[in-house]
Amino acid sequence: MPLTPEQSAEIEDLRATPRQTLRAVSEGAEKHLYKAHPVLDHGFVRMIDYMGDDAAICQAARVSYGRGTKSVQNDEGLIRYLMRHWHSTPFEMCELKLHVKLPVFVARQWIRHRTANVNEYSARYSILDREFYIPRPEDLAAQSSQNNQGRGDVLGPEESARVLDWLREDAHRAYGHYEQMISDDGQQGLARELARMNLPANIYTQWYWKVDLHNLFHFLRLRADSHAQYEIRVYADAICEMVKDWVPAAYRAFEEYRLGGVTLSASGVECLRRMLAGEEVTQETSGMSAREWREFVGAFVLKDI
Ligand SMILES: Cc1cc2nc3c(=O)[nH]c(=O)nc-3n(C[C@H](O)[C@H](O)[C@H](O)COP(=O)(O)OP(=O)(O)OC[C@H]3O[C@@H](n4cnc5c(N)ncnc54)[C@H](O)[C@@H]3O)c2cc1C
């Protein structure tokens, strides 16, 4: 269960006591504030705070004294221009603070994004909960034969049942030993900072994560992408839903120029020019490696010739 009834009550309490402010308010973000959006079997992501809105991006870009808004249409045009031309600093004026509960192996991927501020639950100070990520059978797949870094076909029912049993058994056995090691019942009890070392990577941790919108878009472009591991992608997808409501114009520009856009190499541009001029270009004549060519063809759903 992502939240206990007490935690849910605390959140309801926070949402029940709004205050007046002179700061920029995003109605879309207000909808999400404090609420936990469940992710995986025990995880969640929830918005703790935000700074700025679409108008704040324009305000910074124009270095204006007032709200920065000319008209909604005008603002959207400016935001699209900024995104299109990688004029990134106005997006850094908006910030998002999240509370995330996630398995440790997902946290290891996430923490590689260095341009955020993080404060993690201390397993030196506190005792970790007995909560492990156990995938759904449909998410258990074999090693991909095409991509060394990914997964391929879903495991058959027998193998998947065996894997799930081992995942559960190993996690609970390790946690049982963890509890026994830290217990001071009839023994000194090992320090928490040491006892945690036998816990599996699918145990859940939690952190507060604060990032500006420019770097958040960078994170989302990499982690909401089909090449990202499913277990981090589902968090990125949940964050996308919040960002869409918080800064709708910026998110639309992000979808248009980053998520849905394609970056072409010089060889790619040249190939496209030759193709548009009627030439039949193949991988051999493209100047691209086989992999690059596959990606190029895939991006435009071109017929591989
Ligand atoms: C599909 C996928 C597979 C991956 N596979 C691997 C893997 O096999 N092994 C592995 O180790 N990692 C892997 N990674 C992690 C990846 O290499 C990056 O570390 C991670 O995506 C964070 O990206 P970033 O550094 O751009 O982000 P951030 O740390 O948020 O940085 C954002 C940008 O700030 C700048 N920046 C930040 N810090 C510095 C700095 N110290 N010096 C210079 N510029 C800086 C860079 O321009 C950077 O792009 C993978 C990531 C993905 C998405």
Side-chain angles (χ1 to χ4, degrees), residues 83 216-222 224 240 243 249-261:
M83 183 71 76
L216 178 59
F217 278 148
H218 180 67
F219 171 87
L220 294 175
R221 186 169 67 88
L222 293 170
C240 280
V243 179
Y251 190 81
R252 279 194 290 274
F254 168 67
E255 270 187 320
E256 176 71 9
Y257 299 112
R258 300 284 182 278
L259 274 189

Side-chain angles (χ1 to χ4, degrees), residues 182-202:
I182 58 177
S183 165
D184 55 8
D185 188 9
Q187 59 178 8
Q188 284 176 287
L190 186 65
R192 290 165 194 167
E193 66 177 13
L194 287 167
R196 63 177 166 175
M197 74 175 113
N198 80 324
L199 291 171
N202 63 344

Side-chain angles (χ1 to χ4, degrees), residues 108-116 147 149 209 211 214-216 218-219 221-229 232:
R108 282 200 59 180
Q109 294 189 336
W110 197 311
I111 203 73
R112 299 300 307 283
H113 297 265
R114 298 156 290 176
T115 42
N147 174 3
Q149 225 181 24
W209 192 72
V211 68
H214 165 64
N215 285 296
L216 178 59
H218 180 67
F219 171 87
R221 186 169 67 88
L222 293 170
R223 302 301 183 176
D225 184 85
S226 61
H227 295 95
Q229 177 166 348
I232 194 165

Side-chain angles (χ1 to χ4, degrees), residues 143-209:
Q143 182 63 37
S144 164
S145 52
Q146 277 142 31
N147 174 3
N148 289 337
Q149 225 181 24
R151 55 184 92 168
D153 296 335
V154 173
L155 293 187
E158 253 177 58
E159 188 171 350
S160 129
R162 196 161 57 242
V163 167
L164 287 173
D165 281 350
W166 282 337
L167 285 174
R168 279 193 205 98
E169 273 172 33
D170 289 355
H172 285 284
R173 185 182 309 109
Y175 193 89
H177 289 153
Y178 168 72
E179 280 185 319
Q180 287 176 40
M181 285 192 279
I182 58 177
S183 165
D184 55 8
D185 188 9
Q187 59 178 8
Q188 284 176 287
L190 186 65
R192 290 165 194 167
E193 66 177 13
L194 287 167
R196 63 177 166 175
M197 74 175 113
N198 80 324
L199 291 171
N202 63 344
I203 196 161
Y204 275 85
T205 184
Q206 300 186 33
W207 60 35
Y208 266 43
W209 192 72

Side-chain angles (χ1 to χ4, degrees), residues 26-29 31-32 240-248 251:
S26 156
E27 299 302 335
K31 255 186 5 190
H32 291 283
C240 280
E241 291 304 313
M242 292 181 191
V243 179
K244 200 182 276 182
D245 291 336
W246 167 36
V247 280
Y251 190 81

